């Protein structure tokens, strides 16, 4: 089974934790919420900071906070910041011209991939970090 990239879900997790609790949090604290390696979470936080979604403060009481309100951060903003891989890849095997499938599959699958991106990106643009936090708060426990 192929491995999956979890950077996007971890990025949303840490941003939702910051938005839910409010304030500034050390990367180690946020890694504890994710229950993941602090170095891995720190790398994601750096990407979020470079994308101007998270503010990083240095020093003894430093950490990460939101750079703007959760209502003004879309999931597409977060998705773009961590630059996850495509939903799927198109194989690079040579074309066999005598086969109609081989001759056309790459173009057809490119169109499918473009449609997949369009659908995913559209949904992520419509969903804000505030929406995620609201849904979290509405759940029991």
């Amino acid at each position: 089974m192929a491995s999956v990239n979890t950077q996007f879900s971890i990025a949303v997790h840490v941003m939702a934790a910051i938005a839910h609790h409010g304030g500034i949090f050390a990367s180690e604290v946020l890694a504890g919420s994710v229950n993941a390696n602090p170095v891995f979470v720190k790398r994601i936080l750096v990407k979020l900071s470079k994308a101007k979604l998270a503010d990083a403060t240095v020093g003894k009481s430093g950490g990460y906070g939101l750079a703007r309100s959760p209502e003004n951060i879309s999931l597409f903003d977060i998705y773009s910041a961590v630059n996850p891989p495509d939903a799927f890849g198109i194989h690079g095997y040579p074309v066999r011209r005598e086969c109609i499938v081989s001759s056309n599959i790459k173009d057809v699958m490119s169109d499918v991939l473009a449609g997949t991106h369009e659908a995913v990106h559209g949904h992520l643009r419509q969903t804000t970090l505030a929406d995620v936090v609201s849904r979290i708060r509405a759940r029991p426990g």
Side-chain angles (χ1 to χ4, degrees):
M1 175 174 226
S3 65
V4 295
N5 185 300
T6 59
Q7 288 187 52
F8 172 61
S9 65
I10 292 171
V12 173
H13 184 135
V14 297
M15 294 290 281
I18 295 169
H20 173 71
H21 296 290
I24 306 293
F25 296 90
S27 59
E28 294 81 12
V29 171
L30 294 167
S33 175
V34 177
N35 199 17
N37 182 308
V39 173
F40 181 62
V41 172
K42 175 84 171 195
R43 283 189 204 129
I44 292 170
L45 287 162
V46 167
K47 289 179 180 183
L48 294 167
S49 181
K50 284 182 180 178
K52 302 194 184 325
L53 300 175
D55 284 330
T57 56
V58 295
K60 187 176 178 180
S61 60
Y64 292 86
L66 297 182
R68 50 189 201 244
S69 73
E71 295 80 13
N72 292 318
I73 299 174
S74 74
L75 292 190
F76 183 75
D77 295 331
I78 297 170
Y79 183 84
S80 298
V82 298
N83 194 24
D86 287 339
F88 60 87
I90 299 170
H91 72 77
Y93 294 109
V95 172
R96 292 190 60 212
R97 294 286 168 209
E98 66 277 8
C99 176
I100 191 167
V101 175
S102 181
S103 296
N104 294 289
I105 193 68
K106 290 179 185 177
D107 287 341
V108 171
M109 289 307 294
S110 291
D111 292 343
V112 171
L113 183 57
T116 301
H117 283 167
E118 191 175 303
V120 169
H121 295 177
H123 185 69
L124 295 176
R125 280 186 179 96
Q126 293 175 0
T127 308
T128 67
L129 182 59
D131 296 330
V132 171
V133 172
S134 177
R135 291 175 69 180
I136 289 168
R137 290 177 177 162
R139 295 193 176 254

